[in-house]
Amino acid sequence: MAEIAQPLPEEALEEVFLAGTGPGGQNVNKVATAVQMRLDVYALRLSPVVYQRLKALAGSRWTNDGEIVITARSYRTREANRTDARARLADLVVKAHLVPARRVKTRPSRSAKEKRMLGKAVRGEVKRGRGKVEFD
């Protein structure tokens, strides 16, 4: 995705290696290759607006202590999982810095409203014609 201008500070990151799941055969049972990476958001010193956007983007990965927890276990090696976790965290921070475009309200034109109402009237007539048939 987007490349971060400066890497995440090392003092803000904490990583713990876990026993992975998934492919890997007996290696999965012997080697702790999955990584759980925690990012201390307060160490980033973000502006309040960016902080709120990051909190919304992180969702359930946000802890009450102000940390974002990412678990990477897609790969069979520690280094690949570590790189994946760092990239995902950096991507979250970059997305939080992007200012969302404001939505501009639009209104349908008068002719568009009339066309819609005419279509509704035609449809109503079709449905009215499906009523019970009276035998005189």
Side-chain angles (χ1 to χ4, degrees):
M1 194 118 204
E3 188 66 34
I4 189 164
Q6 52 191 352
L8 298 172
E10 286 297 321
E11 60 273 4
L13 294 173
E14 177 188 333
E15 53 191 34
V16 178
F17 291 96
L18 316 165
T21 60
Q26 289 184 350
N27 194 51
V28 168
N29 303 326
K30 296 187 293 186
V31 184
T33 56
V35 65
Q36 185 180 64
M37 195 163 288
R38 293 173 174 269
L39 172 67
D40 181 14
V41 178
Y42 299 121
L44 298 179
R45 307 230 186 275
L46 301 172
S47 69
V49 178
V50 175
Y51 176 86
Q52 287 301 322
R53 276 198 295 261
L54 183 59
K55 191 171 184 176
L57 283 170
S60 63
R61 295 173 290 198
W62 188 278
T63 67
N64 290 335
D65 298 329
E67 294 180 328
I68 298 175
V69 180
I70 298 270
T71 304
R73 56 171 49 121
S74 301
Y75 301 99
R76 293 183 182 202
T77 64
R78 277 186 173 193
E79 199 53 47
N81 284 325
R82 177 188 282 146
T83 305
D84 181 41
R86 284 177 188 257
R88 285 165 46 197
L89 279 171
D91 192 40
L92 267 179
V93 174
V94 168
K95 283 182 181 176
H97 279 85
L98 297 177
V99 180
R102 282 187 52 122
R103 182 185 179 280
V104 179
K105 290 184 181 178
T106 58
R107 292 178 59 176
S109 64
R110 181 177 292 174
S111 65
K113 285 182 185 177
E114 288 172 4
K115 201 180 294 184
R116 192 179 101 248
M117 296 310 287
L118 181 64
K120 287 168 79 73
V122 168
R123 190 76 189 138
E125 281 299 317
V126 169
K127 289 186 173 191
R128 206 170 296 120
R130 293 183 188 153
K132 287 189 176 181
V133 178
E134 293 186 14
F135 298 106
D136 290 331

